[in-house]
């Protein structure tokens, strides 16, 4: 596992193969144990697949339940995963793109994004969800991060009070609204977590109002987050997640 990580980190010029291998490894990095090692889909001892439980808790749980890491063939696990992809050797159709890792509150449209941006689809962190990096610490490690959990919040949305959070979201919508496109459509999946007594619809509407220039067109119930692999379902813990909504707004 470490050899695979180190090898991928040394890649100087990415290829389609290295990108796909890294993505597949991230998907196999941790997950529940299977009854048969021959059918294993993950490299880890017992662990959720959607988030990585913290080191001390994990070791304590494994010892308590007498669980040992399975002796799996990493390359065979990757082969099984990749074999499920049809037409693996066929190049995808459509325009090529790129990914920016940046703060949407500060990213200048005039330089890093197309001035004619007309469609944005997003799902920002729900109010009270502030541990994305910490919950994905193992995958962050595989990508070159530390082997320990960094509990610092970093430069993320301010969750210290709804007014602060709304103000931070408004910065994003205001930045998007600077696009020179004739029409800008914004689609947002947003909800709330049980630990925070909040109204997702009120928060989203308030952030759009504060950003100015946006008109909310529709709000559609996305059903319970337990209907599928929603954000709250993946990042939540023991309590039942609250409702989630799909919002459609248009820049006036």
């Amino acid at each position: 596992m470490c050899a695979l990580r180190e090898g991928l980190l040394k890649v100087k010029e990415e290829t389609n193969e290295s990108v796909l291998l890294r993505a597949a490894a991230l998907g196999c990095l941790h997950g529940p144990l299977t009854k048969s090692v021959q059918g294993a889909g993950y490299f880890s001892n017992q662990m959720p697949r959607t988030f990585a439980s913290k080191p001390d808790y994990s070791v304590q749980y494994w010892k308590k339940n007498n669980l040992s890491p399975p002796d799996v063939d990493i390359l065979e696990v990757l082969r099984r995963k990749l074999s499920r992809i049809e037409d693996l050797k066929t190049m995808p159709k459509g325009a090529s793109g790129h990914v920016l890792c940046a703060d949407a509150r500060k990213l200048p449209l005039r330089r890093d994004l197309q001035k004619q941006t007309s469609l944005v689809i997003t799902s920002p962190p729900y109010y009270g969800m502030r541990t994305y990096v910490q919950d994905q610490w193992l995958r962050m490690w595989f990508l070159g991060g530390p082997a320990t959990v960094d509990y610092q919040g970093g430069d993320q949305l301010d969750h210290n009070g709804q007014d602060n959070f709304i103000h931070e979201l408004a910065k994003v919508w205001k930045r998007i609204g600077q696009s020179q496109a004739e029409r800008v459509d914004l689609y947002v999946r947003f909800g709330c977590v049980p630990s925070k007594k909040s109204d997702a619809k009120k928060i989203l509407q308030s952030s759009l109002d504060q950003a100015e220039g946006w008109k909310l067109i529709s709000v559609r119930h996305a059903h319970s987050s337990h209907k599928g692999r929603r954000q709250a379902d993946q990042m939540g813990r023991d309590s039942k997640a609250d409702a989630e909504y799909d919002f459609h707004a248009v820049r006036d």
Side-chain angles (χ1 to χ4, degrees):
M1 187 72 254
C2 290
L4 177 61
R5 173 181 180 266
E6 292 173 7
L8 287 171
L9 289 176
K10 291 178 181 178
V11 173
K12 295 182 179 180
E13 294 187 12
E14 294 288 358
T15 64
N16 291 333
E17 291 77 13
S18 65
V19 171
L20 186 60
L21 178 59
R22 184 181 291 104
L26 286 171
C28 296
L29 199 56
H30 56 80
L33 294 173
T34 55
K35 294 181 179 179
S36 171
V37 174
Q38 287 70 31
Y42 304 99
F43 309 144
S44 70
N45 203 340
Q46 178 68 27
M47 185 177 285
R49 68 175 180 81
T50 51
F51 69 93
S53 49
K54 304 307 182 291
D56 291 344
Y57 169 83
S58 299
V59 173
Q60 181 182 11
Y61 178 86
W62 295 331
K63 288 182 177 179
K64 179 181 178 181
N65 292 275
N66 196 28
L67 295 170
S68 299
D71 185 15
V72 299
D73 185 331
I74 288 179
L75 295 182
E76 188 58 35
V77 172
L78 288 169
R79 287 192 189 97
R80 282 198 296 273
K81 187 175 186 64
L82 294 172
S83 68
R84 304 189 190 110
I85 304 176
E86 297 182 1
D87 301 324
L88 185 60
K89 296 182 180 181
T90 302
M91 291 298 294
K93 298 179 181 179
S96 60
H98 63 282
V99 176
L100 296 175
C101 182
D103 191 332
R105 297 166 294 179
K106 306 173 183 177
L107 191 64
L109 286 171
R110 63 183 182 275
R111 186 186 70 207
D112 297 304
L113 294 179
Q114 294 183 12
K115 293 182 179 180
Q116 299 300 318
T117 298
S118 59
L119 173 64
V120 175
I121 303 173
T122 185
S123 181
Y126 300 173
Y127 175 54
M129 283 187 178
R130 61 180 80 196
T131 58
Y132 277 91
V133 174
Q134 291 85 353
D135 287 337
Q136 300 297 332
W137 70 274
L138 264 178
R139 291 183 174 119
M140 296 300 293
W141 164 80
F142 188 81
L143 294 174
T148 56
V149 184
D150 182 3
Y151 289 98
Q152 298 298 317
D155 191 18
Q156 62 175 328
L157 296 179
D158 188 349
H159 292 261
N160 295 315
Q162 288 191 40
D163 290 342
N164 291 347
F165 183 80
I166 290 170
H167 182 67
E168 295 286 277
L169 271 186
K171 290 181 181 179
V172 179
W173 312 144
K174 192 168 186 176
R175 184 71 69 181
I176 294 172
Q178 293 176 353
S179 170
Q180 297 176 9
E182 182 177 346
R183 173 187 170 110
V184 181
D185 286 273
L186 173 65
Y187 292 89
V188 183
R189 166 65 59 80
F190 191 67
C192 52
V193 294
S195 60
K196 292 286 186 179
K197 300 299 181 181
S198 58
D199 186 329
K201 291 187 285 187
K202 182 179 179 180
I203 290 176
L204 203 285
Q205 178 69 74
S206 297
S207 68
L208 291 171
D209 292 342
Q210 193 172 127
E212 300 182 343
W214 291 96
K215 180 180 179 181
L216 188 60
I217 301 299
S218 66
V219 180
R220 183 173 63 89
H221 198 291
H223 303 293
S224 166
S225 61
H226 289 273
K227 282 285 187 179
R229 292 298 175 183
R230 314 275 191 211
Q231 187 179 136
D233 191 28
Q234 295 187 30
M235 306 307 295
R237 296 295 181 268
D238 299 327
S239 57
K240 185 177 181 181
D242 286 355
E244 294 177 312
Y245 302 91
D246 291 326
F247 300 83
H248 177 204
V250 176
R251 189 193 60 190
D252 291 342

